[in-house]
Amino acid sequence: IEKLNTNATLQIGIALGMLYNLNEDSEDHTIIQKLAGILFTLLAVVCMVASVYIIFIGSNLAQISILALLKGSTSRQIQMVDERLDERMTELRLVYIVSLLAMLAAICIGIAKTTDWSHWNQSVNTLLVIGVFSYGIKHMLNTFNKDDILQESIEKENNMQGLDLRRLRFRSFKAKD
């Protein structure tokens, strides 16, 4: 949770920087440049709002998990809280991916918007940067999907063997059943 909160804080700073520099590009001449500016702003705001959401919910989940361990009187109560935390962490990871995608897309649009397309070397450099960012986004999404598949297969295998990971997590917890 803390790592997500730290990354979300960094993303807020990046989004603020993008929005701050938006006023310097006020010389939008064509309708395409104006639309790119609007999309850039929208994506930067999505990145910022998603990051604030991650920080707020993540901090709340951290407090809930500590309280559950301190106040839970049975292992079942702690297991129920743990299950709910797992659900919310999946949600937070998804919001984090949305935030990253919005940030990367805004960066690509910002780069494309400021490129002088009449100069071939700037055009090629811009296309290379956008290509590398696009590949990074694709790789990130594939990795995210593989992590979900890996987690599901581990849980499925453990369930077939009769292992309950949640009970193993709290094995050392001395609670009344």
Side-chain angles (χ1 to χ4, degrees):
I1 293 174
E2 288 82 16
K3 290 179 183 179
L4 277 179
N5 284 356
T6 301
N7 290 338
T9 303
L10 294 172
Q11 287 179 335
I12 289 173
I14 291 169
L16 280 172
M18 287 190 281
L19 291 173
Y20 178 76
N21 290 324
L22 188 64
N23 291 334
E24 294 178 10
D25 301 333
S26 60
E27 298 179 15
D28 295 334
H29 299 293
T30 66
I31 188 75
I32 292 175
Q33 288 175 324
K34 289 179 184 180
L35 290 174
I38 291 169
L39 187 57
F40 176 83
T41 303
L42 177 68
L43 289 168
V45 169
V46 166
C47 175
M48 188 181 307
V49 169
S51 297
V52 168
Y53 178 83
I54 291 167
I55 292 169
F56 178 75
I57 299 298
S59 298
N60 190 20
L61 289 178
Q63 291 173 354
I64 289 171
S65 64
I66 291 169
L67 286 174
L69 287 173
L70 293 175
K71 295 191 176 199
S73 59
T74 66
S75 61
R76 178 66 190 139
Q77 289 174 341
I78 294 172
Q79 182 180 356
M80 287 172 33
V81 171
D82 187 48
E83 289 169 0
R84 182 70 176 136
L85 288 174
D86 283 345
E87 291 171 14
R88 294 305 300 263
M89 282 304 298
T90 301
E91 175 189 336
L92 277 183
R93 282 190 286 275
L94 181 62
V95 172
Y96 178 68
I97 292 296
V98 168
S99 178
L100 277 176
L101 290 174
M103 180 185 70
L104 293 174
I107 290 170
C108 289
I109 289 171
I111 291 169
K113 186 174 176 280
T114 59
T115 298
D116 182 1
W117 291 98
S118 63
H119 293 85
W120 72 270
N121 59 341
Q122 278 190 10
S123 302
V124 169
N125 288 340
T126 297
L127 292 174
L128 283 173
V129 168
I130 291 173
V132 169
F133 270 79
S134 299
Y135 177 77
I137 290 169
K138 180 180 180 281
H139 179 69
M140 180 179 61
L141 291 174
N142 286 341
T143 302
F144 185 71
N145 289 336
K146 287 178 185 174
D147 287 347
D148 285 347
I149 293 169
L150 178 64
Q151 181 68 26
E152 288 174 11
S153 64
I154 289 171
E155 288 178 8
K156 189 177 192 180
E157 184 178 322
N158 287 336
N159 287 338
M160 282 197 244
Q161 295 175 358
L163 296 174
D164 185 359
L165 290 179
R166 295 188 197 324
R167 291 187 66 76
L168 291 175
R169 280 189 203 167
F170 298 107
R171 196 172 178 171
S172 63
F173 181 75
K174 307 279 191 228
K176 303 175 219 168
D177 283 327

